[in-house]
Amino acid sequence: MTDRTTYVSLPGLRARGWSNAMVDAMLGQADVQGRDPRRWSLAPVRLYLLARVEAVERTPEFTESATSASRGAAAERRRRAVLAAIRAEPVEVPRLPAAELERRAVRHRHLLGARGPGGLGAGAMVRWQVGYLRHALSRYDCLLDGLYGATGRAEAERLLRRRLYEAIAAAYPHLAHECRRRMEVER
């Protein structure tokens, strides 16, 4: 029987800040494998010599890997927190009479510098209205703060867009088709 005070198990390594990849790369094979006497399990218990673990923990490679792993874990926690905030945030769409919504949508289009034929094509007013309402809800974009690069940013943006278009469709049922179309296009 091995002396458990001179060995560290895989859960013990995780508690010390090791990831599975770090264990495989830096420690390799376990020093001792056997059955856990405290509970029945088909999987053998892998034990690593404590002196070897501590020696590796003093190397610069371990420090660099542990720092990188903790940064990755922190980024993942930020991503999950932002997604939870987006899911929990109530979306309040401005409720406007139809004529006022049309007037604001046309004004918004002209403020953006859109040029083109004076007459409305089929569905143009609906597109303009959804565009105006989406712009009016742009204050919710601040929910994405804290996500940098590829750390869940695209997923969070898709979720936020979906929530905003769903809220617009719920507030203005006649715009629901255009909102669904935009959700498909902006995937």
Side-chain angles (χ1 to χ4, degrees):
M1 176 120 188
T2 61
D3 180 11
R4 298 237 175 213
T5 60
T6 60
Y7 291 93
V8 180
S9 66
L10 200 53
L13 288 173
R14 286 194 197 105
R16 293 172 72 107
W18 289 74
S19 68
N20 289 343
M22 291 168 60
V23 170
D24 291 342
M26 294 181 196
L27 291 176
Q29 292 293 320
D31 296 307
V32 176
Q33 285 193 7
R35 300 281 177 220
D36 189 346
R38 292 171 296 194
R39 68 180 109 93
W40 186 88
S41 173
L42 290 176
V45 175
R46 297 186 301 176
L47 298 174
Y48 299 87
L49 195 59
L50 182 58
R52 188 164 71 102
V53 169
E54 289 174 339
V56 171
E57 287 176 345
R58 287 189 291 271
T59 65
E61 292 82 13
F62 175 81
T63 306
E64 184 179 318
S65 292
T67 303
S68 174
S70 67
R71 264 189 259 126
E76 179 60 22
R77 280 192 303 277
R78 265 195 320 273
R79 183 189 75 80
R80 276 193 245 121
V82 168
L83 291 174
I86 290 171
R87 285 186 191 100
E89 185 72 24
V91 178
E92 297 175 16
V93 178
R95 307 281 180 147
L96 301 169
E100 179 64 16
L101 179 58
E102 284 183 19
R103 187 185 72 70
R104 289 187 184 191
V106 169
R107 186 168 191 279
H108 175 71
R109 183 177 192 284
H110 290 297
L111 286 174
L112 292 177
R115 301 283 181 249
L120 290 174
M125 181 54 73
V126 170
R127 288 191 305 275
W128 296 356
Q129 289 173 346
V130 172
Y132 165 74
L133 289 168
R134 174 59 185 96
H135 178 75
L137 298 174
S138 62
R139 67 181 178 274
Y140 290 100
D141 292 345
C142 71
L143 292 172
L144 299 172
D145 291 350
L147 289 181
Y148 308 104
T151 312
R153 177 81 184 201
E155 179 185 4
E157 286 176 348
R158 280 192 302 273
L159 176 61
L160 180 60
R161 268 195 311 268
R162 192 187 88 230
R163 293 253 0 257
L164 295 178
Y165 284 133
E166 286 172 351
I168 292 170
Y172 297 95
H174 70 282
L175 302 176
H177 179 72
E178 175 63 15
C179 289
R180 280 191 302 274
R181 186 192 71 77
R182 287 187 182 212
M183 282 189 279
E184 287 296 317
V185 169
E186 295 178 8
R187 276 188 173 185

